Amino acid sequence: MYRKTERRLLFVGATWNLITSLLTIFSYNTWFQAQGKVVLEGAEAESLVIGASMLDNISKVILTFGLFVFVGAIINFLIAVKLKDNTIQKSFLIWIGVWSVIQLASMDILGFVIYLLIFIIYLAKNKAIRLSAKAA
């Protein structure tokens, strides 16, 4: 069994993750900081210190999440290149399952659907590989 479909879908999913991570890091983080500064302009001194600290912490969380998804996208690109035909790679199955759950937890529905499709197709082809090995 060739893993061409899984490879292509994995490239699509990794590209999607790369785009969303770069948008999160550069666009959303910048927008969030600018909006936070606008809100804090009219605040009192005590509220300003607390608000600035909170804004900085939330901005770090946004940046960390974006970097996490970016690293996941790079890992998915590498896995897509190293995916072997006619073999069952349990570590690949575990990674795609975990990454699908991460996509669902982060409410990335499109990413979740892509990785869920990869997971299902991979399982179906695994069954076909097992049956053909049994028949031979």
Side-chain angles (χ1 to χ4, degrees):
M1 285 269 138
Y2 294 110
R3 302 285 188 181
K4 187 176 183 181
T5 306
E6 293 95 315
R7 218 174 269 115
R8 284 185 178 171
L9 281 172
L10 199 53
F11 276 122
V12 169
T15 303
W16 172 251
N17 287 147
L18 187 68
I19 291 168
T20 58
S21 69
L22 292 176
L23 284 174
T24 300
I25 292 169
F26 295 112
S27 296
Y28 181 66
N29 191 29
T30 305
W31 173 84
F32 186 80
Q33 286 179 345
Q35 291 299 313
K37 288 176 185 175
V38 168
V39 170
L40 290 176
E41 280 179 0
E44 297 175 7
E46 188 175 304
S47 297
L48 184 64
V49 171
I50 293 170
S53 176
M54 186 182 307
L55 181 66
D56 186 49
N57 288 337
I58 293 172
S59 180
K60 286 179 184 175
V61 169
I62 292 169
L63 185 64
T64 303
F65 177 74
L67 289 173
F68 175 73
V69 174
F70 182 79
V71 169
I74 300 300
I75 291 171
N76 285 327
F77 277 123
L78 294 174
I79 289 173
V81 170
K82 304 238 182 230
L83 192 60
K84 297 177 185 170
D85 294 331
N86 290 324
T87 59
I88 298 172
Q89 297 168 301
K90 293 191 188 255
S91 58
F92 173 79
L93 193 61
I94 293 168
W95 169 254
I96 293 300
V98 168
W99 194 248
S100 297
V101 170
I102 291 170
Q103 295 293 301
L104 183 62
S106 68
M107 297 301 291
D108 183 1
I109 303 303
L110 184 60
F112 172 70
V113 169
I114 292 169
Y115 289 106
L116 185 63
L117 280 172
I118 295 168
F119 188 80
I120 291 169
I121 293 170
Y122 195 83
L123 281 177
K125 287 187 180 179
N126 284 353
K127 187 164 186 154
I129 289 170
R130 280 193 208 104
L131 289 175
S132 67
K134 227 184 240 186

